[in-house]
């Protein structure tokens, strides 16, 4: 795992990948589902978390509305095609700047991304998320 993480040049993106791995570890340790199933592309989980973050930012008209949460047809990028906010790996800088915990924290979005991708978890409704 360490070798794979060392291939990620951006430290902030690497941190989100580590957080995604932590969530997947918790899912397996607490037997949330019987099996993780097939191959899980952790990078896709991070990008799904970013997508969920941007959706919430649009709903609450958050800071990301200044850059990444704009509609795709009016979203601005640099001449090199990078995000205007400067976020690494096409992840909004405002997600990177979020604390790991809390309702708008990175771990919340990663947990939601994992829940949306893994089979066997309810897609709608409430779910008890207490950790004993």
């Amino acid at each position: 795992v360490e070798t794979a993480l060392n291939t990620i040049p951006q430290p902030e993106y690497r941190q989100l990948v580590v957080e995604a791995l932590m969530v997947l570890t918790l899912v397996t340790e607490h037997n949330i589902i019987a099996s993780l199933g097939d191959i899980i592309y952790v990078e896709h989980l991070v990008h799904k978390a970013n997508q969920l973050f941007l959706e919430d930012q649009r709903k609450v008209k958050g800071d990301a509305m200044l850059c990444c949460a704009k509609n795709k047809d009016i979203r601005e990028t640099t001449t090199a095609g990078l995000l205007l906010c400067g976020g690494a790996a096409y992840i909004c800088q405002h997600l990177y700047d979020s604390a790991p915990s809390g309702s708008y924290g990175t771990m919340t979005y990663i947990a939601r991304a994992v829940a949306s991708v893994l089979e066997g978890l309810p897609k709608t409704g409430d779910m008890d998320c207490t950790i004993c």
Side-chain angles (χ1 to χ4, degrees), residues 85-98:
C85 65
Y90 295 99
I91 302 293
C92 183
Q93 185 64 42
H94 294 288
L95 179 60
Y96 288 127
D97 290 342
S98 300

Side-chain angles (χ1 to χ4, degrees), residues 9-57:
Q10 307 95 343
E12 60 270 43
Y13 184 64
R14 187 178 324 119
Q15 176 62 33
L16 292 183
V17 170
V18 168
E19 290 178 20
L21 291 170
M22 289 172 52
V23 170
L24 289 170
T25 300
L26 288 171
V27 167
T28 58
E29 282 182 353
H30 293 282
N31 298 318
I32 305 294
I33 56 176
S35 169
L36 290 179
D38 207 3
I39 296 171
I40 297 173
Y41 295 96
V42 179
E43 298 90 353
H44 294 189
L45 291 175
V46 173
H47 283 275
K48 177 67 175 174
N50 185 62
Q51 178 186 4
L52 294 169
F53 171 76
L54 294 176
E55 288 171 8
D56 282 357
Q57 288 290 295

